[in-house]
Amino acid sequence: MKLLVDTYTNTGFLHHAYALVGQREIVRDALRLFLGHTLEIDTIGNPDVLEEDYETFGIDEARMAIAFQTKSAAIHSAKKIFIFATTIITHEAQNALLKIFEEPTRDSHFFLIIPDAEILLPTLRSRLIIVQHNNAGADMSFAKTFLHSDIAERFAAIKDIIENKNRLAALALLNALETLLYARASEQKQKAEYAFIFSEIANCRAYLRGRAPSLKLILEHTALIVPRMAYE
């Protein structure tokens, strides 16, 4: 996602079609934050946003997308946003999408969330900007240090995120903490004991998607509720 954010920040240009490669929920949360915070496009309840989840994206789904993108935006001068998250996309569907990826209607932008770019045909891949969401290692390293730290150290660690109003970094930390805590809870067979923490992390993630969230309150609350644990 950093490539997408940096490119738009530096140029103000948004390409008409992207393939976002990575874990579905993490990539989608990052995309929603980019659209909401940077482009001021709310994905919830927006008639000009089509967001769908699939295990298999087939020819019927492709035809639905083609039909939707030919319609005028419901809101004057709005961008039409298509977010399709799928595990598999059939060759027939990819071939059907070729034309609208070559000649999209004005202000139409497609975001295809997939687990691996190798599922794309070369002809379709050449019409997309491929964005790898592959900074999980760095996120995990920071999260492990965060969990190992005391409260004062945690508050110091999140200072830059708060001062820079970096919602993507805040989201990455929440996701990494959830992953590490879930692994520890499963290992210790104590998922019930961690239920409150998982619920609070989910709430914090929801608050991050708001129009003007307080990163200070969200991250400081997280720092206070997650347990301290050692990592080598």
Side-chain angles (χ1 to χ4, degrees), residues 24 28 52-55 83-87 111-113:
R24 182 179 299 195
R28 179 163 42 208
E52 299 287 351
D53 270 288
Y54 305 102
E55 281 307 308
I83 304 171
F84 299 132
T86 187
T87 303
F111 299 91
L112 186 63
I113 302 173

Side-chain angles (χ1 to χ4, degrees), residues 1-14 18 34 37-39 168:
M1 289 299 295
K2 188 174 186 300
L3 171 64
L4 174 58
V5 175
D6 289 348
T7 300
Y8 184 80
T9 300
N10 293 331
T11 67
F13 173 74
L14 187 67
Y18 295 86
F34 167 71
H37 182 60
T38 305
L39 298 183
L168 287 176

